[in-house]
Amino acid sequence: MRAIVWIILAVWLPAAGAWAQGRRPMTVAELVTYKGPDREQMLYAGARSEGKVVWYTSLAGASYKAMAKAFENKYAGVQVEVFRASGSDLTTRMIEETKGRRNIVDTVETTEGNLMFMRDAFLLRPYHSPHFASYPEEAKQRAEKGLFFWAIARESYIGFAYNKKLVPQAAVPKDFSGLLHPALKARMGVTLDDPTSKVIGAILKTKGRELVNKLKAQEIAAHAIIPPALLDLIAAGEVAASPAIFRNHVIVAVEKGAPVDWVPLDLVPTNVGGAAIAAQPPHPHAALLFADFLLGPDGQGLLEKYHYGNAARNYGFKRWRPEHGSTTEKYEKDLLSWEKLVREITRR
Amino acid sequence: MGKAGSRDHAQISVSGWAAPRLPALNPTHLLFAFTGLALAYLVLPPFFFILHTSVVVDRGLRAGSFTFQHFASIVESLDDVRTLLANSLTFSVGSAAVALAYGTMLAWLAERSNAPFRTLAYVSAYISFAIPGIIKVVGWIMLLGPKAGILNAALAALTGRPLLNIFSMSGMVLIESFLWIPVVFLLMSTPFRSMDPALEEAAAAAGSSGWQVFRRVTFPLALPSVLAVLLLTFIRSLEAFEIPALVGIPAGIEVLTTKIYLQIRGGLIPKYGEASAYSTILIALVALGLYPYYRVTSKSYKFTTISGKAYRPHRVDLGRWRWLGGCLMLVLPLLQCLPVAAIAWSSLLPFAQAPSWRALSLVSLNNYRTAFSDSGIVGSVFNSLTVSVASATVAIALTFVAAWFIVRASLKARWLLDQMAMLPLVFPGIVMGIAILKMYLALPIPVYGTIWILVLAFIARYLPYGIRFSHSALLSVHRELEEGAMASGATWFQMVRHVLVPLVMPALLAGWIYIFLITFRELSIALLLYSPGSQVVAVKIWELWDNGHVGELAAFSLVITAGTVLVGSFFVKLAQRQGLQD
């Protein structure tokens, strides 16, 4: 009998040891914490058998298509299915899909305010990425057990854009007070969306309510279009300037020869987008592999090519993320109050 | 006036319908039941979701509990109700009136006079549907912008005064009516085309002047169509968004839709509860608006213009005014060409600018190359074609049958079919998108994530247009033709196939093409419902707009517009070859 036990142990122990050594995470909960040195190979092998990753993103222009293509080139056999929409539409869609018990999305990339909303609605799963280490602490949203909900994958900077033929150099503001220059009266326009609201928030933070009130006398026109479309009106000469235009859009317009320029003011409101994992990703290996790719040198290099900023880099102006350090409720309340002010100062 | 008769006499008595006893089941009853159920399936669940969303808390710990807060928020936000209402009414009444007056006049000129350029007017009317509204508005801003508008700048150089500041109420009304004139023109063409000239000739022979003939014969015969079109344009202008947003807001003119849009878009995610509450208010207003229309058109026999009598087409000779009529006809293509030309110009440039020698040196096809560099475009075009053909075909077929029951059946509940078909008119696109998204996530019907969810959404969305095209066409057909066919032994389906459909086919085709073209570029619904793999052209257009690439957007839209018109023309030719056109 003893001999039989020894034989069984002799056969079982080495097998058990080998199994334990090569054991791979089996559940999503195990996967998101996996830090093994073979992480990339393990995720790729899993992703290949899953076949695809479903990516919800708010990235604009050709950048997200280039990102998907670059990922597919690097990880052959894993297809990227992209759904591109605004942060609020992505949030709405994910809420409804979750209510309908449909797990469709794997990886999410959208603006931080909406990620905060998703986190509070339990739509996101904290995870580990080897690239988190290279991001500053304020560019990550910490969760429990050393995991993070997201890290900031890209930044866009909001500042003053103007038509160089219509605005004399002396009238180009250096700070928010410069927006009161008489040469800018009745010649500025703003869009009725987040970037303008954030500029108002920045003015309140740096100069106070008085300056916001004074802006009403500048007869700024509101436009129900998006900032790059307003930039088109600036390039065409229909509007002379705007204090709420993205730097990356102006860089592209300048490259095309448009007579426009961009300057940062006292504080540069910064639109940021983070990379996160859905709470129940149907393709978990691919989800993590794609998030790693976004946050890693490949994804970051590609976003830089499309003029997105990087959280770890200094651009020579003071950045401000209004949602950072705030609760979702407080941030939304602030946003609503700034939106109200925008309408007050632009109303005729 | 057409043959008078009692109301009962004017409606086909399908056996058993007028009687209080339960009807015996026959194919007509089954068809009625099927039509009713199909309309109910398409319209009522989104309607229910909208109603439900309007009275429940949509966020936070109390999510799902009952509330009137969304209605209260609308009332609270309408702090200057009087101004908002006055602006909304001025805008919608003004736009509807201008579009109706001009569109009706053009329809009469095209169908009842010998004015030249008729074909050109028709072609341009169809083309207008294929051009995204946002493109046309951007085009008009490029032309009539107060500071850099091309037309304004040119005229100011010549006369010292700009033509028109588009950022004003008159600018809003004018541009909105420009968008509606082609629709009015096509809708009003049907009654004028099918009108028996003998009625007018009799009036003229009795000594009536041209104006008296128009006032006492022509216009009363066209009245149901006039009312239907007035109602349609008024309601759509009331809930119009693109022009109030792009033109009204910079002008400092707020209307109800822009006010509420600004309310619901605030914060991190849209407040769909308020949007739904707004929709229910609009639904009530539209139901009120439909009532007088039913009152006027209930005596359908009054409006028959196609009877069993042979009549020859007759056109009024305008004499020396013929070329004035021709000039008026040319306005329609001109209204389409001007903004398209402005857009075509910007599609050739790296950034927006007025025409100049320097600008000419920058002209290139780069925007076309960039816009079409996406490998997914072929797939999205194929998806859009499938979605638009399927949506237009089903919507027109369904509304044609529904309209037949509304016009002919003596069943009292027939008005329900019309109400159901008209209901989506007041669903804001984005709210309807959410409602359909929720519906198919909840129902075990596997369409979520496929293009078929878009087809179902578009059929529901464009039922009101289908029903108006079909309804006014059927009103003009005298029942004696159908009775004659059935008395000769034809079954109901044979009568429909060989008598009714050929008679109303021009109107049905107009409706089909309208829905086909408009669904090809429908945006608000497609944005929420498309999925990876089911991307459609409209989403691509939105992406370009959202990225602010007006040049690329212009290039893409122009090519897609040309392609859509070609495909639309192909289907018309195909229908004509099948002998379906009159």
Side-chain angles (χ1 to χ4, degrees), chain A residues 128-151:
Chain A
H128 162 78
S129 169
H131 303 294
F132 282 154
S134 57
Y135 282 77
E137 191 61 26
E138 65 270 18
K140 293 179 287 199
Q141 180 60 50
R142 189 172 279 282
E144 288 178 341
K145 298 175 187 166
L147 302 178
F148 293 89
F149 279 105
W150 64 82

Side-chain angles (χ1 to χ4, degrees), chain B residues 102-115 118 122 185 188-189 192 195 200 210 214 218-219 315-318 329:
Chain B
Y102 203 84
T104 306
M105 182 183 67
L106 287 186
W108 184 86
L109 283 170
E111 292 298 335
R112 305 307 314 278
S113 84
N114 63 343
R118 289 191 293 271
Y122 274 108
F185 169 65
M188 289 307 300
S189 298
F192 285 132
M195 212 173 266
E200 290 161 326
F214 179 81
T218 315
F219 185 75
R315 289 181 186 276
V316 175
D317 184 3
L318 293 176
M329 297 285 277

Side-chain angles (χ1 to χ4, degrees), chain A residues 28-29 94 98 102-106 122-125 277-284 287:
Chain A
V28 182
M94 282 177 67
T98 306
R102 307 279 181 99
N103 300 323
I104 294 170
V105 56
D106 294 305
F122 306 104
L123 301 174
L124 302 180
R125 181 182 285 272
I277 300 291
Q280 297 295 338
H283 314 101

